[in-house]
C-alpha cells in the first residue's frame, strides 16, 4: 500500500509539473573545493549557472530552458542544487546515440528528447530546502531529501575526506544517490561532488563530478523512444 501511495504522489507531482510546462571520486574538473570554504554569489542559483564560463553548464541550462517552472524555482525558491557539468550530459548522450545508431534510429539530443523523461531526471538534481553540507552531519548514513516538483527522495551523505594524516580531517564532499526505491545501498546509483556550499541569494549549489552520467543510469531507458 505504501508503494501505491508513493506512486500516486509521484504521478500527481508530475501532472502538476507538466501542466505548468504546457501552460508556459575526484576528476579534472576545475571545481575542487580543497579548503571547503563557503563561497558566495550575489544572485540566484539560476544567475550563478548563467555566470559561469562557457563549457561549464551549457547543457544544464539548455535543459532548464525547456522547463520555465524550474527556471522560476531556481530564481525564487529556497533550494539545494546538485549541478551536473557539460561532461555528464555528453557522456549520457553518447551512450544513448551509440545504441540508436546501431539500431538504425535517429539521434536524440537535449533539445528534442522526450520532455517527460528528461523532466523527471532533471528534477532529481533540485532538492527542496536550502541546506549546506553541515545539515547532513547528524546522520552517519545520510538523509533522504525530496526533489522539487515530483517529490522523489534522493539520499545525501556528508563525507569528510582525510587530510595530512588525519582521518576525516580534510575537505567535505557530498555523496548524492538515487536509491531506486531500495533500502540496500548495492541497488543505489551514487555520485559525488567536486565543490560544495556555493551560496546564492536563494540556494546552495553543489557541483557534481564530471565523471557522473547524467540521469543516474536512466538516460537511455527514459529517452530511447
Amino acid at each position: 500500500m505504501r508503494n501505491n501511495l508513493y506512486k500516486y504522489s509521484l504521478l500527481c507531482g508530475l501532472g502538476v509539473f507538466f501542466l505548468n510546462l504546457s501552460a508556459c571520486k575526484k576528476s579534472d574538473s576545475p571545481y575542487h573545493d580543497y579548503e571547503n570554504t563557503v563561497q558566495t554569489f550575489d544572485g540566484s542559483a539560476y544567475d550563478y549557472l548563467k555566470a559561469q564560463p562557457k563549457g561549464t553548464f551549457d547543457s544544464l541550462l539548455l535543459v532548464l530552458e525547456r522547463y520555465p517552472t524550474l527556471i522560476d524555482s531556481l530564481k525564487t525558491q529556497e533550494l539545494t542544487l546538485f549541478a551536473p557539468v557539460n561532461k555528464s550530459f555528453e557522456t549520457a548522450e553518447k551512450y544513448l546515440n551509440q545504441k540508436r545508431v546501431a539500431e538504425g534510429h535517429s539521434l536524440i539530443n537535449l533539445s528534442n528528447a522526450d520532455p517527460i523523461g528528461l523532466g523527471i531526471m532533471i528534477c532529481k538534481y533540485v532538492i527542496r530546502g536550502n541546506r549546506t553540507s553541515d545539515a547532513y552531519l547528524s546522520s552517519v548514513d545520510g538523509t533522504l531529501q525530496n526533489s522539487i516538483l515530483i517529490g522523489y527522495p534522493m539520499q545525501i551523505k556528508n563525507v569528510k575526506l582525510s587530510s595530512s594524516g588525519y582521518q576525516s580531517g580534510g575537505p567535505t564532499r557530498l555523496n548524492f544517490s538515487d536509491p531506486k526505491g531500495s533500502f540496500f545501498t548495492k541497488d543505489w546509483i551514487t555520485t559525488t561532488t567536486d565543490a560544495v556550499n556555493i551560496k546564492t541569494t536563494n540556494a546552495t549549489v553543489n557541483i557534481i563530478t564530471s565523471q557522473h552520467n547524467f540521469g543516474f543510469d536512466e538516460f537511455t531507458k527514459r529517452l530511447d523512444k
Side-chain angles (χ1 to χ4, degrees):
M1 180 176 178
R2 186 177 178 182
N3 286 338
N4 288 336
L5 287 173
Y6 171 72
K7 289 178 181 177
Y8 176 77
S9 298
L10 180 60
L11 288 172
C12 288
L14 283 173
V16 172
F17 176 35
F18 291 107
L19 180 61
N20 289 337
L21 173 61
S22 63
C24 355
K25 331 173 246 202
K26 177 169 154 185
S27 72
D28 58 354
S29 165
Y31 295 105
H32 303 311
D33 189 18
Y34 292 117
E35 297 180 2
N36 197 33
T37 55
V38 177
Q39 307 168 48
T40 59
F41 177 81
D42 186 17
S44 69
Y46 185 71
D47 294 330
Y48 172 79
L49 297 176
K50 297 275 286 185
Q52 301 315 298
K54 184 174 176 59
T56 308
F57 295 121
D58 308 68
S59 296
L60 176 56
L61 289 166
L62 179 62
V63 172
L64 290 173
E65 285 173 7
R66 299 186 62 183
Y67 307 100
T69 302
L70 277 179
I71 290 179
D72 181 68
S73 296
L74 289 170
K75 289 179 177 179
T76 62
Q77 292 190 27
E78 295 286 311
L79 302 169
T80 303
L81 171 64
F82 286 82
V85 296
N86 280 6
K87 184 67 175 176
S88 295
F89 292 92
E90 291 168 4
T91 302
E93 270 192 78
K94 174 184 174 182
Y95 291 138
L96 167 62
N97 284 317
Q98 282 179 342
K99 178 177 184 294
R100 290 183 64 81
V101 168
E103 295 172 350
H105 300 313
S106 60
L107 301 182
I108 288 177
N109 57 51
L110 298 176
S111 296
N112 65 15
D114 174 65
I116 295 179
L118 188 61
I120 290 171
M121 289 187 287
I122 193 63
C123 282
K124 292 182 181 182
Y125 294 83
V126 189
I127 304 299
R128 297 172 181 170
N130 185 353
R131 302 178 186 86
T132 64
S133 58
D134 286 349
Y136 314 109
L137 282 172
S138 59
S139 176
V140 175
D141 298 321
T143 63
L144 285 173
Q145 302 291 336
N146 287 336
S147 60
I148 193 172
L149 300 177
I150 62 174
Y152 186 87
M154 298 291 286
Q155 179 85 1
I156 306 171
K157 180 179 179 181
N158 187 312
V159 180
K160 271 284 190 180
L161 304 180
S162 300
S163 177
S164 302
Y166 295 94
Q167 189 69 25
S168 300
T172 294
R173 284 190 183 172
L174 294 175
N175 282 354
F176 187 50
S177 303
D178 183 343
K180 306 294 184 181
S182 173
F183 292 110
F184 303 105
T185 57
K186 66 180 180 63
D187 299 324
W188 299 3
I189 302 297
T190 299
T191 188
T192 190
T193 54
D194 275 344
V196 297
N197 297 337
I198 300 168
K199 296 293 294 179
T200 72
T201 54
N202 69 306
T204 297
V205 179
N206 305 301
I207 300 174
I208 294 178
T209 174
S210 62
Q211 297 176 14
H212 171 63
N213 244 356
F214 174 76
F216 293 91
D217 287 0
E218 292 182 359
F219 194 83
T220 296
K221 175 184 176 181
R222 291 191 179 276
L223 303 184
D224 187 22
K225 296 181 178 181

